[in-house]
Amino acid sequence: MVSIKDVAKLANVSVTVVSKALNGYTDVNEQTRQKVMKAAEELKYSPNMLAKNLKQKVAKSIALIFSNFERADGKDGVLVQIMSGVFEAANKHKYEVVIYTRSLSEQQDKSYWKFCKEHKISGAIITGLKTTDPYFQEIIDSDLPCVVIDTMLSGANTGSISTDNVLAAQQAVEHFIDKGHRNIGMMNGHEFAVVSKQRLEGYQKALELHGIPYDDRLVINADFSETKAYEMTEGFLQEYPHMTGVFMSSDLMAIGFMRRCHELGVQIPDQISVMGFDDIVLSSYMMPKLSTVRQDFHEISFTAFEQVIDILENKQKGTHIFVPFKIVDRDTIKVLQSP
Amino acid sequence: MVSIKDVAKLANVSVTVVSKALNGYTDVNEQTRQKVMKAAEELKYSPNMLAKNLKQKVAKSIALIFSNFERADGKDGVLVQIMSGVFEAANKHKYEVVIYTRSLSEQQDKSYWKFCKEHKISGAIITGLKTTDPYFQEIIDSDLPCVVIDTMLSGANTGSISTDNVLAAQQAVEHFIDKGHRNIGMMNGHEFAVVSKQRLEGYQKALELHGIPYDDRLVINADFSETKAYEMTEGFLQEYPHMTGVFMSSDLMAIGFMRRCHELGVQIPDQISVMGFDDIVLSSYMMPKLSTVRQDFHEISFTAFEQVIDILENKQKGTHIFVPFKIVDRDTIKVLQSP
DNA sequence: AAAAATATCGAAATCGTTTTCGATTTAATT
DNA sequence: AATTAAATCGAAAACGATTTCGATATTTTT
């Protein structure tokens, strides 16, 4: 393998000069710089990042951590969108990204923190972190700059980012209300996600704002799972036949719900309206097309990256950031009466 | 940061002994090993991988290269499936994986090869490589063990892996023929993918085997693009109204085709049958559900990983591997007559 | 008891860089 | 011409691990 020594030899200078020439130092004569460049070119030299990062004590790379990778069956395209956002930002800031996946099914010997430490990683972006995660506190307490997606926390080195879930949920059910609905159910995700609490709060808020009494029997928990939603819809529908619409905490659940409705012969949106959350790719391909609130995952992860850079390079404190969402009304909400 | 020196000091031994104790060498007394372990534990020591890999000249990590990342809009879930396969294999073999994405839209300063070299990466898995890619030859000639997905080549250090595209395509159109179809069109992908050529070959083979003359006007090129397929279907349908079915080189194109048919009021499968290729997640959610040939991308990437390990650790020569596919008949093929 | 074999340890070299700081040369200033 | 300043270079010390090889202590063999 060709090292800096080899190019030094060929260019007839010291390794110091080679290093300086290649890294834009000013105390090297332009002619010798050319000489060095030519030698490096000739030998097809490329620096050993391991040595480089070792010396500099830190690698210019940030970790993208998927803490629930087993759920990533590709149905929602969000994982890809998240990747796309961080890769774009990484490219912009000249960082590298290393992905660390963790699935709960397999025992994990290593915590994120240990992983990042071992690799001298500068910062991290974390997704899919449950509040019950054993490493939750570790992350927050650590001195590693990191921002976690879809939660709310802030510390010296930790920030977070998400869409404004309570506002989004509120607007979503207000959308129902605007179309004349008064009996609106909700299918929520599991309680270990902070987004579940927030969306429920938004749901309640909208109801309260429009003088509709809150009935906790109308909100059930389907664990963010398509099949669980599928299984629960029949009972849900039978038990509360006066519901005219249901707000789902995720598109995946909405799809499970719709599929079961289709089998049961209940027409959407004629007999029951539904609104999802996320706007995954499947949603616009459904028949009928699913109305939902669109989260901009690309923007979320891009901004997440920029925040870790901010606290890394600009010594900013961690904070929480909201990124804009959008209600997208397609074909699954029936208008009962004009507003 | 706590280094090996610190634990040596605490354990009251030399760094040599610490290193040996922690790496399972036999020439260290069991008691001192315990002592070292305890000290390491106490200090929360974790080795600096950069230094470790630097010394060992090579990192135990393989690169997963997406050479056309901009296409990864998450519509097909294949990217995720591929990731899932290699992460699983990596976990099994105790390797780490680093992902390198390249999009053609942004100028790329660095070739895969350079990237891998700089990071002392042991091997690589490459996807989305076009034959026209400027780095194509570089990869093949390099001494870096790598296997590229969806192509056919083999060398000392390079292998490849894919489904048997010609056989799969052949069986797909034979499936048409079995159902009584004789006038079968094809919508192929761009010519820079070897899979296009192979699937066309399978198409031709099936026709020939059943005495159906090949008409090259019945196969058009929609570039693997959903919208392009969408745009071309009306003309295609009008020009060759005698077609009873069309074999698509990808599900995404099939979906574009179906969407246009829906708008045009042509019934699927009553007026025209369609068969896709890939079995992406969207396919089973279509109405009607798309019949297609299923590629097992998880298996493909998993096996790809194992092959690079094979040529890396077992000094095997690179080769081409086929992984099984499956014709999955859903609701988009009409039976014209019993076989 | 002497010799040989074994067990256990540590000093030091090494991996490929970066970076400090002093040395030397050249140019600018007085 | 003497002094000062600027430009350019290189020796050497890190970074944090691994690994070779010799040293010492202990045990076994003769």
Side-chain angles (χ1 to χ4, degrees):
Chain A
M1 199 72 300
V2 28
S3 81
I4 200 175
K5 252 183 230 164
D6 301 306
V7 8
K9 205 169 293 173
L10 180 60
N12 207 32
V13 292
S14 74
V15 296
T16 310
V17 175
V18 176
S19 175
K20 285 178 178 171
L22 261 28
N23 290 324
Y25 277 63
T26 56
D27 65 339
V28 37
N29 187 291
E30 190 52 32
Q31 293 181 18
T32 61
R33 162 170 277 123
Q34 295 297 340
K35 212 168 51 177
V36 168
M37 304 274 257
K38 199 158 134 271
E41 187 77 22
E42 200 167 320
L43 294 175
K44 285 173 176 300
Y45 165 77
S46 68
N48 183 327
M49 286 299 180
L50 298 173
K52 184 169 191 159
N53 291 335
L54 172 60
K55 186 71 220 306
Q56 326 216 93
K57 296 272 200 81
V58 52
K60 231 184 152 196
S61 64
I62 81 104
L64 174 56
I65 295 170
F66 293 108
S67 39
N68 56 347
F69 192 67
E70 77 238 305
R71 288 243 175 163
D73 50 9
K75 269 186 185 167
D76 46 23
V78 340
L79 190 145
V80 176
Q81 289 180 54
I82 287 178
M83 281 180 59
S84 153
V86 336
F87 276 116
E88 188 178 322
N91 202 34
K92 172 181 168 193
H93 291 278
K94 301 285 171 222
Y95 270 68
E96 275 164 11
V97 13
V98 13
I99 292 180
Y100 181 64
T101 66
R102 204 176 61 115
S103 60
L104 301 174
S105 43
E106 25 175 290
Q107 85 300 356
Q108 210 70 15
D109 39 339
K110 220 174 272 187
S111 70
Y112 326 116
W113 177 76
K114 195 167 181 187
F115 175 82
C116 293
K117 207 174 113 186
E118 282 181 354
H119 291 265
K120 298 296 168 225
I121 276 169
S122 310
I125 295 169
I126 303 171
T127 78
L129 192 64
K130 290 187 183 183
T131 52
T132 52
D133 193 296
Y135 297 123
F136 191 86
Q137 200 58 37
E138 191 184 65
I139 276 295
I140 301 179
D141 296 340
S142 92
D143 53 352
L144 182 79
C146 65
V147 1
V148 7
I149 290 176
D150 264 354
T151 184
M152 293 195 67
L153 48 85
S154 60
N157 297 307
T158 55
S160 58
I161 190 165
S162 70
T163 88
D164 189 338
N165 283 288
V166 2
L167 184 61
Q170 178 187 332
Q171 288 189 14
V173 342
E174 278 182 326
H175 194 75
F176 269 117
I177 297 172
D178 286 349
K179 303 267 182 178
H181 293 259
R182 305 284 297 177
N183 295 295
I184 307 159
M186 175 175 184
M187 206 177 254
N188 206 354
H190 58 72
E191 55 182 331
F192 305 117
V194 315
V195 299
S196 297
K197 293 198 191 76
Q198 294 170 337
R199 287 171 198 170
L200 176 60
E201 188 184 334
Y203 167 83
Q204 292 171 320
K205 217 162 176 177
L207 259 36
E208 187 184 340
L209 238 52
H210 292 80
I212 304 176
Y214 169 63
D215 180 354
D216 67 356
R217 290 169 309 177
L218 286 188
V219 2
I220 60 177
N221 178 346
D223 206 26
F224 287 124
S225 149
E226 180 183 357
T227 61
K228 202 140 187 185
Y230 173 90
E231 293 163 359
M232 298 179 80
T233 93
E234 186 170 7
F236 196 38
L237 254 28
Q238 280 180 345
E239 201 151 355
Y240 309 103
H242 60 292
M243 282 194 308
T244 62
V246 23
F247 168 55
M248 322 285 303
S249 207
S250 83
D251 282 2
L252 226 40
M253 290 192 297
I255 287 167
F257 179 85
M258 286 170 71
R259 192 156 49 90
R260 189 66 181 132
C261 283
H262 184 75
E263 289 177 6
L264 260 27
V266 351
Q267 302 289 329
I268 292 175
D270 284 339
Q271 294 176 256
I272 185 109
S273 294
V274 21
M275 182 147 210
F277 205 108
D278 284 346
D279 195 20
I280 66 179
V281 286
L282 277 173
S283 302
S284 56
Y285 285 90
M286 287 291 105
M287 304 271 275
K289 294 176 185 159
L290 179 62
S291 298
T292 187
V293 3
R294 171 181 300 158
Q295 296 200 72
D296 191 342
F297 293 106
H298 182 96
E299 183 67 17
I300 285 180
S301 59
F302 186 91
T303 311
F305 194 102
E306 302 236 288
Q307 187 180 173
V308 344
I309 296 297
D310 244 25
I311 100 175
L312 203 58
E313 298 186 347
N314 307 334
K315 301 299 170 211
Q316 296 289 306
K317 269 196 59 176
T319 171
H320 181 83
I321 300 178
F322 284 129
V323 346
F325 60 91
K326 195 171 153 216
I327 305 281
V328 15
D329 194 356
R330 289 196 271 245
D331 307 329
T332 55
I333 299 186
K334 185 181 182 183
V335 13
L336 296 184
Q337 59 185 83
S338 302
Chain B
M1 198 73 300
V2 30
S3 81
I4 199 174
K5 250 183 232 164
D6 301 306
V7 8
K9 205 169 294 173
L10 180 60
N12 206 32
V13 293
S14 73
V15 296
T16 310
V17 175
V18 175
S19 175
K20 285 179 178 172
L22 261 27
N23 290 323
Y25 277 63
T26 56
D27 65 339
V28 38
N29 187 291
E30 190 51 33
Q31 293 181 17
T32 62
R33 162 170 278 123
Q34 295 297 340
K35 211 168 49 178
V36 168
M37 304 274 257
K38 199 158 134 271
E41 187 75 23
E42 200 167 320
L43 295 174
K44 285 173 176 298
Y45 166 76
S46 68
N48 183 327
M49 286 301 180
L50 298 173
K52 183 169 191 159
N53 292 335
L54 171 60
K55 185 69 221 302
Q56 324 217 97
K57 295 273 199 80
V58 53
K60 230 183 153 198
S61 64
I62 82 104
L64 174 55
I65 295 169
F66 293 108
S67 40
N68 57 346
F69 191 68
E70 76 238 303
R71 289 241 176 166
D73 50 9
K75 269 187 186 168
D76 46 25
V78 341
L79 188 145
V80 176
Q81 288 179 55
I82 287 178
M83 280 180 59
S84 151
V86 337
F87 276 117
E88 187 178 324
N91 203 32
K92 172 181 168 192
H93 291 278
K94 300 286 169 222
Y95 271 68
E96 275 164 12
V97 13
V98 13
I99 292 181
Y100 182 64
T101 66
R102 204 177 59 117
S103 61
L104 301 174
S105 42
E106 26 175 289
Q107 86 298 357
Q108 210 71 13
D109 40 340
K110 219 174 272 188
S111 69
Y112 327 115
W113 175 78
K114 195 167 181 186
F115 175 82
C116 293
K117 207 175 114 185
E118 283 181 354
H119 291 264
K120 296 298 168 224
I121 275 169
S122 310
I125 295 169
I126 303 170
T127 79
L129 192 64
K130 288 187 182 180
T131 53
T132 52
D133 193 296
Y135 298 123
F136 190 86
Q137 200 57 37
E138 189 184 67
I139 276 294
I140 300 179
D141 296 339
S142 91
D143 53 351
L144 182 78
C146 66
V147 359
V148 9
I149 289 177
D150 265 352
T151 185
M152 294 197 66
L153 48 84
S154 60
N157 297 307
T158 55
S160 57
I161 190 163
S162 70
T163 88
D164 190 338
N165 284 288
V166 0
L167 184 62
Q170 178 186 331
Q171 288 188 13
V173 341
E174 277 183 325
H175 194 74
F176 269 118
I177 296 172
D178 286 349
K179 303 266 183 180
H181 294 260
R182 305 285 297 176
N183 296 295
I184 307 160
M186 175 175 185
M187 208 178 253
N188 206 354
H190 58 72
E191 55 183 330
F192 306 116
V194 315
V195 300
S196 297
K197 294 199 190 75
Q198 294 169 338
R199 288 171 197 170
L200 176 60
E201 188 184 333
Y203 168 83
Q204 292 169 322
K205 216 162 176 176
L207 259 37
E208 188 183 340
L209 238 53
H210 293 79
I212 304 175
Y214 169 64
D215 180 354
D216 66 358
R217 289 169 310 178
L218 286 188
V219 2
I220 61 177
N221 178 346
D223 206 25
F224 287 124
S225 148
E226 180 184 357
T227 61
K228 202 141 187 183
Y230 173 91
E231 292 163 0
M232 297 179 79
T233 92
E234 185 169 10
F236 195 39
L237 254 28
Q238 280 180 346
E239 202 151 355
Y240 308 103
H242 60 291
M243 281 193 309
T244 61
V246 21
F247 168 56
M248 323 285 304
S249 209
S250 83
D251 281 2
L252 226 41
M253 291 192 295
I255 286 166
F257 180 84
M258 286 170 71
R259 193 155 49 90
R260 188 68 180 130
C261 283
H262 184 74
E263 289 176 6
L264 259 29
V266 351
Q267 302 287 328
I268 292 174
D270 285 338
Q271 294 176 254
I272 186 109
S273 294
V274 20
M275 182 149 212
F277 205 107
D278 284 345
D279 196 20
I280 65 180
V281 286
L282 276 174
S283 303
S284 55
Y285 286 89
M286 287 292 105
M287 304 273 275
K289 294 176 186 159
L290 179 62
S291 298
T292 188
V293 4
R294 170 180 302 158
Q295 296 200 71
D296 191 342
F297 292 106
H298 182 96
E299 182 68 16
I300 286 181
S301 59
F302 186 92
T303 312
F305 194 101
E306 303 237 287
Q307 186 180 173
V308 344
I309 295 298
D310 244 25
I311 100 176
L312 203 58
E313 298 186 347
N314 308 334
K315 301 300 169 210
Q316 297 288 307
K317 269 196 58 176
T319 170
H320 182 83
I321 299 178
F322 283 129
V323 345
F325 60 91
K326 193 169 154 216
I327 306 281
V328 15
D329 194 357
R330 289 195 271 245
D331 307 328
T332 56
I333 299 186
K334 184 181 182 183
V335 11
L336 297 184
Q337 57 185 84
S338 302

